[in-house]
Amino acid sequence: MFNKNKPLDNNTSSGLGIPTPPEPAKPTPAAAPISAAPARAPEPARPAARSSSLSTLSAGVKYEGNISGAGELQVDGSLKGDIRVVRVVIGEGGAVEGTVHADILEVRGRVSGAIVAKQVKLFATSRVEGDITQEQLSIEQGAWFQGRCTQAKRDTPGANMLESPTPAEKPAPAKTDAKVEAKPAA
């Protein structure tokens, strides 16, 4: 009924049919690494690197006013005003009502107003109402866009819109002598 292992049997077991694990091989002194530096523990995973110049308008925050600067802006909340920064990312829950001037603009949320940028990318979740003046435009399938888009290269007359005016170059208010009359719709 029970079989005993013979003393010279190389397939030793614990008697329950489970073989004992083999002994680990001992390293020879010649095969040991010469490095004298202590082994380092692996570093914990770090979050993705963010730009130090990124400002965020968090979800649930409503802001009224203009934002300008040389940094980057992430809009996840609601902004009523104009934006003039280097890079703008409008998140899926973000909404901007005003003009957006940027070198790079990524829209996943809503924009209601004119867009002037070098690179514009409208993602599938975006909703844009307004005219776009850009050098490069990318629109994913599913994006909603109502307005006109104008491609402005650096050497064309409309390209000056892509440049950010410096404080000394800000245009003076236009003076017009023409009168405009509004007529009620019939």
Side-chain angles (χ1 to χ4, degrees), residues 62-146:
K62 293 181 180 180
Y63 182 82
E64 276 192 43
N66 299 332
I67 297 177
S68 63
E72 301 176 2
L73 178 65
Q74 167 91 28
V75 179
D76 291 324
S78 176
L79 171 69
K80 195 173 198 177
D82 297 339
I83 299 174
R84 185 179 291 271
V85 295
V86 175
R87 183 171 184 257
V88 179
V89 176
I90 300 172
E92 286 187 29
V96 174
E97 188 177 328
T99 303
V100 179
H101 281 263
D103 287 346
I104 300 170
L105 172 65
E106 296 178 7
V107 182
R108 290 180 174 84
R110 297 174 154 256
V111 175
S112 182
I115 293 174
V116 179
K118 292 177 185 174
Q119 296 177 9
V120 178
K121 183 159 187 179
L122 304 181
F123 288 86
T125 57
S126 66
R127 181 175 175 86
V128 176
E129 283 184 72
D131 296 342
I132 300 175
T133 303
Q134 86 296 329
E135 284 185 21
Q136 298 175 353
L137 175 63
S138 170
I139 302 176
E140 285 187 355
Q141 185 175 353
W144 189 88
F145 169 58
Q146 178 70 40

Side-chain angles (χ1 to χ4, degrees), residues 25-44:
K26 294 180 182 177
T28 60
I34 299 175
S35 173
R40 258 192 205 187
E43 292 186 24

